[in-house]
Amino acid sequence: MASSVAQTRTAASTAAVLPVLLSISLIHMMNDSMQAVIPAMYPILEKTLDLSYAQVGWIGFMLNMTSSVMQPAVGAYSDKRSRSNLLPIAMSLSLLGMVGIAFAPSFWYVLFAVMFIGFGSAIFHPEGSRVVYFAAGSKRGFAQSVFQVGGNAGSSLAPLMTVFIFVPLGQSGAIWGTLLAAFAIAVSFGLLPWYKSKLAEWELKRSDAASPDGSTVFTVANHPRVKFAMGVLVFLVFARSWYHSGISSYYQFFLQEHYGLTVQQAQIPVFLFLAAGVLGTYFGGVLADRFGLRNMIVFSISGAAPFSLILPHLPLFWVYPLITVLGFVVLSGFSVAVVYAQFLMPAKVGMASGLTTGLAFGMGAIGAVVLGKAADVFGLQPVMWFCSVLPLCGLFAMLLPSDRPKI
């Protein structure tokens, strides 16, 4: 009887807390939807406030600097002084930003409002990843994938918001974004009691020498092997982000130039790449729980290399199926990289998440600028050839320490 009770408790402790995962994924969708408002409103703001293209670029730069590049710093701070109410605080900052954009009379007011949305996102992502870490049980890959799919779904709403809200209503239509923020605040308040109790437990266990699933980890962030592994992981995340930016931003122009497609026709392969990436993000986490985090990272990046290398040289007919497979494979390691960083740094979950998500998005945005400048100077074809070799960097994943328990 005692053994049966112990087994039941062990199973309960390793089971994922699905209601919490769905709730934090829903908040993630609201958060990334508010971020998607900014690029969706570019054409509206450009006309309403008579902005130059350079000013539009500065708006995007400010959003990326505050929401993405600052995440590691915010994560490091929250690791030391984590507070359960950071989730509603983050969404409240985004709410203020949405109000500011709706009524901004000039460029500088828009820039200030965008900072609030960026700071809200920079606070949310490390804290949201910490909630996922607590709720995952032994299904860390699955849990992070559920969380990330919510964000991907929110980002994909930008074109729909432009068509159905911002074009008919103009700049003031941004006020509808406050409904997203209010809903996210309400859901985050519902999570507070559970999250507060988990934070208290975590503070007692964070100095333990093993992760909750019993696998061997290095709990000291400045351990030489941790530093090396995190360096390799961040490099791999950068390479993937640059490749993703190259395909999502410039492959459509390559299709027009190389195959003679119209603007509308060129959107189809890019859409297939992004849509398959959403599925890859989810299934990659599920497969990582079975086959290992490092193994999935190796597969997701280096496994995409054969497809990426031949993509610029294919007949148009073969572009559609191959780019679909490519999107699935290359994004299958997206959420896995976050979980692996948390495996390396279990006492610094916020910083680990910030390095692999926030900083990666920021570097992806910088990569898009660099690749665009290179396309202006050298042409699109050399840039596509350069992008096609980036997944070969995934071979460096073989240098990462194994995350599987030693038997």
Side-chain angles (χ1 to χ4, degrees):
M1 180 65 72
S3 175
S4 176
V5 172
Q7 290 176 358
T8 302
R9 288 177 177 175
T10 300
S13 65
T14 58
V17 187
L18 192 57
V20 172
L21 292 177
L22 293 177
S23 296
I24 198 65
S25 180
L26 188 59
I27 299 174
H28 195 187
M29 184 174 72
M30 299 299 105
N31 177 84
D32 284 22
S33 295
M34 286 184 282
Q35 275 193 269
V37 165
I38 310 304
M41 288 200 69
Y42 282 166
I44 308 300
L45 294 172
E46 186 265 336
K47 292 181 180 179
T48 303
L49 302 179
D50 194 25
L51 303 181
S52 66
Y53 290 122
Q55 288 175 316
V56 171
W58 275 109
I59 294 173
F61 176 81
M62 182 62 70
L63 180 65
N64 276 296
M65 284 300 295
T66 52
S67 67
S68 300
V69 179
M70 288 192 64
Q71 277 191 42
V74 174
Y77 173 83
S78 63
D79 283 332
K80 296 178 181 178
R81 298 179 177 85
S82 187
R83 297 160 53 194
S84 58
N85 59 357
L86 283 177
L87 286 175
I89 288 174
M91 294 300 98
S92 298
L93 289 174
S94 295
L95 187 149
L96 292 175
M98 296 306 303
V99 174
I101 290 174
F103 300 106
S106 67
F107 165 71
W108 293 105
Y109 284 91
V110 171
L111 214 59
F112 188 64
V114 165
M115 287 177 59
F116 278 89
I117 295 176
F119 282 131
S121 184
I123 294 171
F124 166 75
H125 280 96
E127 286 301 298
S129 293
R130 199 190 317 276
V131 171
V132 173
Y133 184 81
F134 293 158
S138 61
K139 302 293 184 181
R140 300 208 177 279
F142 163 76
Q144 189 66 36
S145 294
V146 170
F147 176 65
Q148 197 57 54
V149 165
N152 290 351
S155 298
S156 67
L157 294 177
L160 298 178
M161 289 190 288
T162 301
V163 172
F164 294 108
I165 298 177
F166 303 134
V167 170
L169 300 179
Q171 182 181 346
S172 61
I175 199 67
W176 285 95
T178 59
L179 296 179
L180 301 174
F183 185 71
I185 291 170
V187 177
S188 63
F189 271 116
L191 285 177
L192 284 189
W194 180 89
Y195 187 33
K196 188 174 181 179
S197 67
K198 288 297 180 180
L199 279 175
E201 294 177 14
W202 184 59
E203 290 295 336
L204 295 175
K205 296 179 181 179
R206 64 190 303 179
S207 61
D208 289 351
S211 63
D213 61 359
S215 56
T216 303
V217 297
F218 306 104
T219 58
V220 182
N222 61 1
H223 190 290
R225 291 190 67 183
V226 170
K227 286 184 176 181
F228 173 77
M230 282 302 300
V232 172
L233 184 64
V234 170
F235 169 73
L236 293 173
V237 169
F238 283 1
R240 186 198 61 218
S241 297
W242 277 50
Y243 183 75
H244 189 270
S245 293
I247 296 297
S248 59
S249 300
Y250 300 109
Y251 188 63
Q252 58 183 310
F253 300 110
F254 177 77
L255 290 168
Q256 296 171 50
E257 180 182 291
H258 190 68
Y259 296 101
L261 300 186
T262 65
V263 174
Q264 292 84 352
Q265 291 170 335
Q267 305 307 308
I268 297 175
V270 178
F271 170 77
L272 291 173
F273 176 80
L274 297 175
V278 175
L279 293 176
T281 298
Y282 173 76
F283 285 104
V286 174
L287 292 173
D289 287 331
R290 180 171 183 178
F291 298 107
L293 300 172
R294 187 192 68 169
N295 294 337
M296 201 64 208
I297 293 172
V298 173
F299 167 77
S300 69
I301 307 180
S302 61
F307 303 104
S308 67
L309 287 170
I310 65 174
L311 180 63
H313 312 286
L314 287 174
L316 181 61
F317 173 81
W318 288 105
V319 166
Y320 299 97
L322 186 134
I323 201 169
T324 303
V325 175
L326 178 60
F328 183 93
V329 174
V330 79
L331 266 294
S332 63
F334 184 86
S335 61
V336 179
V338 181
V339 181
Y340 187 82
Q342 294 172 348
F343 159 79
L344 291 172
M345 305 168 63
K348 294 183 178 294
V349 175
M351 185 177 182
S353 303
L355 284 171
T356 48
T357 54
L359 196 56
F361 276 115
M363 293 301 102
I366 293 173
V369 174
V370 173
L371 293 174
K373 182 63 177 178
D376 288 335
V377 175
F378 302 107
L380 278 170
Q381 193 168 57
V383 168
M384 287 296 105
W385 288 346
F386 168 76
C387 288
S388 69
V389 303
L390 285 174
L392 286 173
C393 295
L395 295 174
F396 285 99
M398 298 297 295
L399 301 175
L400 295 171
S402 175
D403 58 286
R404 307 303 282 177
K406 293 183 180 181
I407 301 175

